[in-house]
């Protein structure tokens, strides 16, 4: 176990370094931010001064070393646009993104597992089939299109829900959250549902498939033969056994929620880190782009690492089969 | 087992046509492709020809008549572009980008997947590690990172879509190639001292294709959807030749003032395309999967 953990940890670190190199090289090789940041009327002297002030005159590898040193100490440069440290900027927007992602996850789990369970127990019934058809549609729909239709229907047509922003927030443990005020909740509902839809469809399919498989197993047949009530058979024997893959997928998909929140946040003007990324790309605000990418890559590596560890505890075959070729 | 007299292709078609839903999907898909191919012939207007656009007849509602006397079935956008024509041309670009990127990604993935499976050892480890690492990040994130790095443009978006997709093919091909590698005909070919390239591409490749076809069909839908998403975020194709995603993005500004059609109809076209491809892919998966055969 220790050997596996160390090997996995080493691999995570390696991925992080490679990604930092890729991100840095790419972002710093394109475009000339000076053209964008300095007043077009400014003379050469002024442009040169700005270049030196931003450290853009140094060779690339030197810039990378500065960047790497900064990354380790949590200093990834200042935003060209806002003039504040990029990392602080990202971290200040992160709670909004996390709130959205957690709400979406909550919706997906609370709806997806019961619906999937029902569809698995009654796969040939009208409701069971409708649930499956719904999940296929939910899978096919591009996230941004659903967001658009939601706005069209609930905001423009019915006028029930606001279409942008976080609404009123309250401070909990120093973090601003929307879900504790009525106004915030109305703002949160559509984006959260929009973000949840893909994962909801995925969970329905997973739970349904798991349930159908579990129902054929001997232990379920035995539990039934023992005369246990149906509720107990489903609640304990079936559900408990299908939870392992579901929990793993939930863990892995959480990163996906953060990635997809880029789209949802842009549509609903939710002031989170994803919207900040899109704004920064459009303004060529490189420190913010780099910081965002590094933060999200880091988050992903941590999530993948934790999920792998949890999985190897649940299923010893993973680590015993280890070695470089394992994991397929 | 069905009659031996039937050709394999006919047999496949028979199995495919067993599902009414798949047939509907196929009919939709064929219509969409036909519209895309013949867009210049059937569009009421050339949406890229600025001389034909009239800003005065901008943002007309569906069915409204322009000053020129033309009726716009699906309305017009802010520049007076006929939405129906815009959608027909947009389909062309969306489908084109989706298919081109999928084909190139398929060739790249096929190549690396076969090599990984056939040579094994460190080659296999290296290729599959890269695949593993890439697949642990969502496609949208990889595409966004790339476009943030490369800048915008049609070529850049195709590069991003290829990069996102190749890993799926490499993994799929490797899995089926590993199975094929154990079979006797490969051994026979090796005994005949045929060149490695010949064994790989003439003997192994054709037998690895069926699962790949299924993955590729699904991936075309993903690629189209991803391109639309990126264009919607303003990171995709240039505004001069709008894909469906860009049309939707353009109309988004006017959505709040109740001018729904500029966004809604291109979105509907996108949706029909994706659903049609998915329906066909679903049935193909069942037909081509030997495990489901009775």
């Amino acid at each position: 176990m220790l050997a596996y953990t160390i090997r996995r940890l080493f691999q995570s670190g390696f991925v992080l370094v490679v990604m930092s190199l890729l991100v840095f090289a790419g972002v710093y090789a394109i475009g000339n931010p000076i053209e964008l940041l300095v007043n077009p009327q400014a003379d050469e002297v002024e442009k040169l001064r700005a270049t030196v002030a931003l450290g853009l005159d140094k060779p690339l590898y030197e810039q990378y070393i500065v960047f790497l040193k900064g990354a380790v100490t949590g200093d990834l440069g200042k935003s060209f646009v806002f003039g504040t440290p990029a990392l602080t900027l990202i971290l200040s927007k992160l709670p909004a993104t996390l709130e959205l992602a957690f709400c979406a996850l909550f919706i997906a789990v609370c709806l997806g597992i019961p619906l999937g369970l029902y569809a698995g127990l009654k796969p040939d019934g009208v409701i069971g089939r409708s649930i499956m058809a719904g999940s296929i549609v939910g899978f096919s729909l591009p996230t941004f299109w659903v967001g658009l239709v939601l706005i069209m229907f609930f905001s423009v047509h019915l006028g029930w829900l606001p279409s942008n922003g976080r609404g009123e927030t309250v401070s909990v443990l120093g973090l601003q959250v929307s879900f504790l005020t009525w106004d915030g909740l109305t703002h949160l509902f559509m984006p959260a549902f929009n973000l949840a839809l893909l994962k909801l469809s995925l969970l329905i399919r997973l739970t349904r498939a798991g349930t159908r498989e579990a129902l054929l197993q001997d232990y379920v047949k035995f539990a039934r033969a023992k005369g246990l009530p149906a509720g107990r058979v489903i609640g304990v024997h079936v559900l408990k056994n299908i939870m392992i893959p579901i929990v793993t997928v939930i863990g892995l998909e959480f990163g996906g929620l953060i990635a997809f929140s880029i789209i949802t946040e842009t549509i609903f003007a939710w002031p989170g880190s994803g919207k900040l990324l899109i704004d920064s790309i459009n303004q060529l605000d490189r420190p913010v782009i780099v910081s965002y990418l590094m933060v999200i890559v880091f988050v992903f590596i941590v999530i993948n690492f934790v999920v792998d560890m949890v999985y190897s505890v649940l299923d010893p075959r993973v680590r015993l089969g280890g070695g470089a070729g394992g994991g397929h | 087992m069905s009659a031996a007299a039937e050709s394999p292709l006919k047999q496949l078609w028979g199995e495919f046509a067993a599902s009414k839903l798949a047939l509907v999907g196929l009919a939709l898909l064929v219509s969409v492709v036909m519209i895309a191919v013949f867009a210049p012939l059937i569009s009421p207007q050339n949406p890229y020809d600025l001389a034909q656009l009239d800003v005065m007849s901008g943002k007309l509602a569906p069915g409204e008549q322009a000053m020129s006397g033309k009726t716009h079935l699906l309305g017009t956008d802010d520049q007076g572009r006929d939405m129906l024509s815009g959608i027909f041309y947009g389909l062309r670009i969306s489908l084109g980008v989706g298919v081109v990127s999928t084909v190139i990604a398929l060739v790249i993935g096929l190549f690396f997947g076969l090599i990984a499976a056939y040579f094994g050892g460190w080659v296999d480890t290296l290729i599959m590690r890269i695949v593993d690492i890439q697949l642990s990040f969502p496609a949208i994130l990889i595409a966004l990172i790339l476009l943030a790095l490369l800048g915008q443009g049609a070529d850049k978006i195709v590069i991003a879509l290829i990069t996102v997709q190749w890993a799926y093919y490499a993994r799929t091909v490797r899995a089926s190639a590993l199975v094929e590698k154990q079979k006797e005909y490969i051994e026979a070919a090796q005994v005949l001292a045929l060149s490695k390239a010949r064994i790989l591409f003439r003997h192994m490749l054709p037998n690895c294709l069926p699962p790949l076809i299924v993955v590729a069909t699904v991936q075309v839908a993903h690629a189209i959807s991803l391109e639309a998403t990126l264009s919607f975020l303003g990171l995709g194709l240039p505004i001069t030749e709008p894909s469906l995603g860009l049309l939707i993005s353009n109309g988004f500004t006017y959505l709040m003032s109740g001018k729904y059609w500029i966004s809604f109809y291109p979105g509907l076209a996108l949706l029909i395309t994706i659903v049609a491809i998915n329906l066909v892919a679903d049935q193909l998966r069942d037909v081509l999967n030997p495990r489901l055969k009775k």
Side-chain angles (χ1 to χ4, degrees), chain A residues 24-47:
Chain A
F24 175 85
V27 171
Y28 276 70
I30 55 147
N32 185 358
I34 290 303
E35 303 285 321
L36 286 161
L37 290 161
V38 181
N39 189 342
Q41 261 93 54
D43 52 23
E44 286 303 314
V45 182
E46 208 163 320
K47 276 187 189 168

PDB file of all heavy atoms in Angstrom, chain A residues 24-47:
ATOM      1  N   PHE A  24       2.652  27.114 -19.102  1.00  0.00           N
ATOM      2  CA  PHE A  24       3.512  28.296 -19.125  1.00  0.00           C
ATOM      3  C   PHE A  24       4.019  28.574 -20.538  1.00  0.00           C
ATOM      4  O   PHE A  24       3.892  29.681 -21.050  1.00  0.00           O
ATOM      5  CB  PHE A  24       4.694  28.101 -18.185  1.00  0.00           C
ATOM      6  CG  PHE A  24       5.672  29.225 -18.263  1.00  0.00           C
ATOM      7  CD1 PHE A  24       5.478  30.359 -17.504  1.00  0.00           C
ATOM      8  CD2 PHE A  24       6.759  29.156 -19.121  1.00  0.00           C
ATOM      9  CE1 PHE A  24       6.359  31.419 -17.605  1.00  0.00           C
ATOM     10  CE2 PHE A  24       7.641  30.212 -19.227  1.00  0.00           C
ATOM     11  CZ  PHE A  24       7.445  31.345 -18.465  1.00  0.00           C
ATOM     12  N   ALA A  25       4.579  27.544 -21.154  1.00  0.00           N
ATOM     13  CA  ALA A  25       5.170  27.729 -22.487  1.00  0.00           C
ATOM     14  C   ALA A  25       4.118  28.242 -23.459  1.00  0.00           C
ATOM     15  O   ALA A  25       4.353  29.184 -24.213  1.00  0.00           O
ATOM     16  CB  ALA A  25       5.754  26.414 -22.986  1.00  0.00           C
ATOM     17  N   GLY A  26       2.960  27.627 -23.426  1.00  0.00           N
ATOM     18  CA  GLY A  26       1.904  28.024 -24.348  1.00  0.00           C
ATOM     19  C   GLY A  26       1.446  29.444 -24.122  1.00  0.00           C
ATOM     20  O   GLY A  26       1.458  30.267 -25.034  1.00  0.00           O
ATOM     21  N   VAL A  27       1.099  29.734 -22.881  1.00  0.00           N
ATOM     22  CA  VAL A  27       0.524  31.047 -22.604  1.00  0.00           C
ATOM     23  C   VAL A  27       1.545  32.156 -22.849  1.00  0.00           C
ATOM     24  O   VAL A  27       1.226  33.207 -23.385  1.00  0.00           O
ATOM     25  CB  VAL A  27      -0.004  31.097 -21.154  1.00  0.00           C
ATOM     26  CG1 VAL A  27      -0.408  32.513 -20.800  1.00  0.00           C
ATOM     27  CG2 VAL A  27      -1.186  30.173 -21.009  1.00  0.00           C
ATOM     28  N   TYR A  28       2.812  31.885 -22.500  1.00  0.00           N
ATOM     29  CA  TYR A  28       3.794  32.954 -22.630  1.00  0.00           C
ATOM     30  C   TYR A  28       4.351  33.085 -24.038  1.00  0.00           C
ATOM     31  O   TYR A  28       5.075  34.014 -24.347  1.00  0.00           O
ATOM     32  CB  TYR A  28       4.921  32.763 -21.599  1.00  0.00           C
ATOM     33  CG  TYR A  28       4.531  33.337 -20.276  1.00  0.00           C
ATOM     34  CD1 TYR A  28       3.547  32.725 -19.510  1.00  0.00           C
ATOM     35  CD2 TYR A  28       5.082  34.521 -19.807  1.00  0.00           C
ATOM     36  CE1 TYR A  28       3.139  33.257 -18.317  1.00  0.00           C
ATOM     37  CE2 TYR A  28       4.684  35.061 -18.605  1.00  0.00           C
ATOM     38  CZ  TYR A  28       3.712  34.427 -17.852  1.00  0.00           C
ATOM     39  OH  TYR A  28       3.301  34.972 -16.671  1.00  0.00           O
ATOM     40  N   ALA A  29       4.004  32.109 -24.892  1.00  0.00           N
ATOM     41  CA  ALA A  29       4.536  32.187 -26.247  1.00  0.00           C
ATOM     42  C   ALA A  29       3.591  32.912 -27.200  1.00  0.00           C
ATOM     43  O   ALA A  29       3.987  33.314 -28.278  1.00  0.00           O
ATOM     44  CB  ALA A  29       4.827  30.782 -26.769  1.00  0.00           C
ATOM     45  N   ILE A  30       2.325  33.065 -26.807  1.00  0.00           N
ATOM     46  CA  ILE A  30       1.384  33.688 -27.761  1.00  0.00           C
ATOM     47  C   ILE A  30       1.063  35.129 -27.389  1.00  0.00           C
ATOM     48  O   ILE A  30       1.116  35.512 -26.227  1.00  0.00           O
ATOM     49  CB  ILE A  30       0.056  32.908 -27.855  1.00  0.00           C
ATOM     50  CG1 ILE A  30      -0.565  32.766 -26.464  1.00  0.00           C
ATOM     51  CG2 ILE A  30       0.242  31.575 -28.516  1.00  0.00           C
ATOM     52  CD1 ILE A  30      -2.057  32.778 -26.471  1.00  0.00           C
ATOM     53  N   GLY A  31       0.738  35.888 -28.389  1.00  0.00           N
ATOM     54  CA  GLY A  31       0.240  37.238 -28.192  1.00  0.00           C
ATOM     55  C   GLY A  31       1.269  38.168 -27.563  1.00  0.00           C
ATOM     56  O   GLY A  31       2.279  37.730 -27.037  1.00  0.00           O
ATOM     57  N   ASN A  32       1.011  39.431 -27.671  1.00  0.00           N
ATOM     58  CA  ASN A  32       1.876  40.405 -27.018  1.00  0.00           C
ATOM     59  C   ASN A  32       1.015  41.258 -26.104  1.00  0.00           C
ATOM     60  O   ASN A  32       0.313  42.149 -26.562  1.00  0.00           O
ATOM     61  CB  ASN A  32       2.579  41.261 -28.074  1.00  0.00           C
ATOM     62  CG  ASN A  32       3.567  42.197 -27.430  1.00  0.00           C
ATOM     63  OD1 ASN A  32       3.699  42.230 -26.198  1.00  0.00           O
ATOM     64  ND2 ASN A  32       4.248  42.970 -28.244  1.00  0.00           N
ATOM     65  N   PRO A  33       1.056  40.960 -24.809  1.00  0.00           N
ATOM     66  CA  PRO A  33       0.151  41.666 -23.893  1.00  0.00           C
ATOM     67  C   PRO A  33       0.436  43.162 -23.848  1.00  0.00           C
ATOM     68  O   PRO A  33      -0.457  43.940 -23.518  1.00  0.00           O
ATOM     69  CB  PRO A  33       0.432  40.999 -22.541  1.00  0.00           C
ATOM     70  CG  PRO A  33       1.762  40.359 -22.684  1.00  0.00           C
ATOM     71  CD  PRO A  33       1.900  39.985 -24.111  1.00  0.00           C
ATOM     72  N   ILE A  34       1.664  43.538 -24.187  1.00  0.00           N
ATOM     73  CA  ILE A  34       1.997  44.964 -24.138  1.00  0.00           C
ATOM     74  C   ILE A  34       1.077  45.759 -25.071  1.00  0.00           C
ATOM     75  O   ILE A  34       0.568  46.821 -24.721  1.00  0.00           O
ATOM     76  CB  ILE A  34       3.476  45.161 -24.544  1.00  0.00           C
ATOM     77  CG1 ILE A  34       4.392  44.604 -23.454  1.00  0.00           C
ATOM     78  CG2 ILE A  34       3.788  46.635 -24.773  1.00  0.00           C
ATOM     79  CD1 ILE A  34       4.181  45.202 -22.087  1.00  0.00           C
ATOM     80  N   GLU A  35       0.829  45.192 -26.246  1.00  0.00           N
ATOM     81  CA  GLU A  35      -0.045  45.858 -27.216  1.00  0.00           C
ATOM     82  C   GLU A  35      -1.424  46.116 -26.612  1.00  0.00           C
ATOM     83  O   GLU A  35      -2.095  47.078 -26.960  1.00  0.00           O
ATOM     84  CB  GLU A  35      -0.208  44.981 -28.462  1.00  0.00           C
ATOM     85  CG  GLU A  35       1.089  44.616 -29.154  1.00  0.00           C
ATOM     86  CD  GLU A  35       1.671  45.781 -29.944  1.00  0.00           C
ATOM     87  OE1 GLU A  35       0.880  46.515 -30.555  1.00  0.00           O
ATOM     88  OE2 GLU A  35       2.897  45.957 -29.925  1.00  0.00           O
ATOM     89  N   LEU A  36      -1.832  45.203 -25.746  1.00  0.00           N
ATOM     90  CA  LEU A  36      -3.180  45.297 -25.197  1.00  0.00           C
ATOM     91  C   LEU A  36      -3.241  46.157 -23.943  1.00  0.00           C
ATOM     92  O   LEU A  36      -4.249  46.767 -23.649  1.00  0.00           O
ATOM     93  CB  LEU A  36      -3.689  43.905 -24.861  1.00  0.00           C
ATOM     94  CG  LEU A  36      -4.079  43.041 -26.047  1.00  0.00           C
ATOM     95  CD1 LEU A  36      -4.110  41.590 -25.637  1.00  0.00           C
ATOM     96  CD2 LEU A  36      -5.423  43.478 -26.584  1.00  0.00           C
ATOM     97  N   LEU A  37      -2.127  46.173 -23.215  1.00  0.00           N
ATOM     98  CA  LEU A  37      -2.195  46.762 -21.880  1.00  0.00           C
ATOM     99  C   LEU A  37      -1.761  48.211 -21.844  1.00  0.00           C
ATOM    100  O   LEU A  37      -2.206  48.976 -21.013  1.00  0.00           O
ATOM    101  CB  LEU A  37      -1.318  45.952 -20.913  1.00  0.00           C
ATOM    102  CG  LEU A  37      -1.920  44.595 -20.634  1.00  0.00           C
ATOM    103  CD1 LEU A  37      -0.894  43.649 -20.088  1.00  0.00           C
ATOM    104  CD2 LEU A  37      -3.071  44.751 -19.674  1.00  0.00           C
ATOM    105  N   VAL A  38      -0.887  48.547 -22.741  1.00  0.00           N
ATOM    106  CA  VAL A  38      -0.391  49.910 -22.710  1.00  0.00           C
ATOM    107  C   VAL A  38      -1.205  50.736 -23.694  1.00  0.00           C
ATOM    108  O   VAL A  38      -1.590  50.250 -24.756  1.00  0.00           O
ATOM    109  CB  VAL A  38       1.109  49.923 -23.066  1.00  0.00           C
ATOM    110  CG1 VAL A  38       1.655  51.329 -23.004  1.00  0.00           C
ATOM    111  CG2 VAL A  38       1.865  49.016 -22.120  1.00  0.00           C
ATOM    112  N   ASN A  39      -1.475  51.929 -23.301  1.00  0.00           N
ATOM    113  CA  ASN A  39      -2.194  52.878 -24.153  1.00  0.00           C
ATOM    114  C   ASN A  39      -1.567  52.895 -25.555  1.00  0.00           C
ATOM    115  O   ASN A  39      -0.363  53.059 -25.687  1.00  0.00           O
ATOM    116  CB  ASN A  39      -2.063  54.258 -23.499  1.00  0.00           C
ATOM    117  CG  ASN A  39      -2.939  55.281 -24.178  1.00  0.00           C
ATOM    118  OD1 ASN A  39      -3.383  55.064 -25.300  1.00  0.00           O
ATOM    119  ND2 ASN A  39      -3.193  56.376 -23.494  1.00  0.00           N
ATOM    120  N   PRO A  40      -2.357  52.710 -26.603  1.00  0.00           N
ATOM    121  CA  PRO A  40      -1.803  52.664 -27.966  1.00  0.00           C
ATOM    122  C   PRO A  40      -1.035  53.948 -28.333  1.00  0.00           C
ATOM    123  O   PRO A  40      -0.143  53.916 -29.174  1.00  0.00           O
ATOM    124  CB  PRO A  40      -3.049  52.536 -28.855  1.00  0.00           C
ATOM    125  CG  PRO A  40      -4.123  52.046 -27.968  1.00  0.00           C
ATOM    126  CD  PRO A  40      -3.796  52.462 -26.586  1.00  0.00           C
ATOM    127  N   GLN A  41      -1.354  55.063 -27.659  1.00  0.00           N
ATOM    128  CA  GLN A  41      -0.653  56.312 -27.946  1.00  0.00           C
ATOM    129  C   GLN A  41       0.721  56.387 -27.274  1.00  0.00           C
ATOM    130  O   GLN A  41       1.504  57.286 -27.561  1.00  0.00           O
ATOM    131  CB  GLN A  41      -1.496  57.505 -27.481  1.00  0.00           C
ATOM    132  CG  GLN A  41      -2.280  58.164 -28.602  1.00  0.00           C
ATOM    133  CD  GLN A  41      -3.668  57.580 -28.713  1.00  0.00           C
ATOM    134  OE1 GLN A  41      -4.392  57.545 -27.737  1.00  0.00           O
ATOM    135  NE2 GLN A  41      -4.033  57.105 -29.879  1.00  0.00           N
ATOM    136  N   ALA A  42       0.980  55.411 -26.381  1.00  0.00           N
ATOM    137  CA  ALA A  42       2.230  55.472 -25.614  1.00  0.00           C
ATOM    138  C   ALA A  42       3.430  55.317 -26.544  1.00  0.00           C
ATOM    139  O   ALA A  42       3.375  54.605 -27.540  1.00  0.00           O
ATOM    140  CB  ALA A  42       2.242  54.351 -24.578  1.00  0.00           C
ATOM    141  N   ASP A  43       4.529  56.003 -26.212  1.00  0.00           N
ATOM    142  CA  ASP A  43       5.722  55.895 -27.047  1.00  0.00           C
ATOM    143  C   ASP A  43       6.527  54.658 -26.670  1.00  0.00           C
ATOM    144  O   ASP A  43       6.205  53.946 -25.709  1.00  0.00           O
ATOM    145  CB  ASP A  43       6.580  57.163 -26.951  1.00  0.00           C
ATOM    146  CG  ASP A  43       6.877  57.507 -25.505  1.00  0.00           C
ATOM    147  OD1 ASP A  43       6.816  56.586 -24.662  1.00  0.00           O
ATOM    148  OD2 ASP A  43       7.138  58.677 -25.209  1.00  0.00           O
ATOM    149  N   GLU A  44       7.592  54.409 -27.429  1.00  0.00           N
ATOM    150  CA  GLU A  44       8.401  53.198 -27.249  1.00  0.00           C
ATOM    151  C   GLU A  44       8.973  53.110 -25.839  1.00  0.00           C
ATOM    152  O   GLU A  44       9.037  52.034 -25.255  1.00  0.00           O
ATOM    153  CB  GLU A  44       9.536  53.173 -28.289  1.00  0.00           C
ATOM    154  CG  GLU A  44       9.069  52.837 -29.697  1.00  0.00           C
ATOM    155  CD  GLU A  44       8.338  51.497 -29.763  1.00  0.00           C
ATOM    156  OE1 GLU A  44       8.837  50.527 -29.173  1.00  0.00           O
ATOM    157  OE2 GLU A  44       7.258  51.437 -30.377  1.00  0.00           O
ATOM    158  N   VAL A  45       9.415  54.255 -25.330  1.00  0.00           N
ATOM    159  CA  VAL A  45      10.053  54.271 -24.004  1.00  0.00           C
ATOM    160  C   VAL A  45       9.078  53.740 -22.953  1.00  0.00           C
ATOM    161  O   VAL A  45       9.420  52.902 -22.124  1.00  0.00           O
ATOM    162  CB  VAL A  45      10.500  55.707 -23.646  1.00  0.00           C
ATOM    163  CG1 VAL A  45      11.198  55.700 -22.282  1.00  0.00           C
ATOM    164  CG2 VAL A  45      11.404  56.261 -24.733  1.00  0.00           C
ATOM    165  N   GLU A  46       7.858  54.225 -23.061  1.00  0.00           N
ATOM    166  CA  GLU A  46       6.859  53.833 -22.073  1.00  0.00           C
ATOM    167  C   GLU A  46       6.552  52.334 -22.183  1.00  0.00           C
ATOM    168  O   GLU A  46       6.400  51.637 -21.191  1.00  0.00           O
ATOM    169  CB  GLU A  46       5.586  54.647 -22.298  1.00  0.00           C
ATOM    170  CG  GLU A  46       4.797  54.842 -21.023  1.00  0.00           C
ATOM    171  CD  GLU A  46       3.781  55.971 -21.176  1.00  0.00           C
ATOM    172  OE1 GLU A  46       4.137  56.996 -21.796  1.00  0.00           O
ATOM    173  OE2 GLU A  46       2.666  55.789 -20.711  1.00  0.00           O
ATOM    174  N   LYS A  47       6.476  51.858 -23.444  1.00  0.00           N
ATOM    175  CA  LYS A  47       6.207  50.434 -23.672  1.00  0.00           C
ATOM    176  C   LYS A  47       7.322  49.585 -23.085  1.00  0.00           C
ATOM    177  O   LYS A  47       7.089  48.557 -22.458  1.00  0.00           O
ATOM    178  CB  LYS A  47       6.094  50.159 -25.179  1.00  0.00           C
ATOM    179  CG  LYS A  47       4.716  50.434 -25.738  1.00  0.00           C
ATOM    180  CD  LYS A  47       4.621  49.995 -27.186  1.00  0.00           C
ATOM    181  CE  LYS A  47       3.313  50.484 -27.807  1.00  0.00           C
ATOM    182  NZ  LYS A  47       3.291  50.343 -29.246  1.00  0.00           N
TER     183      LYS A  47
END
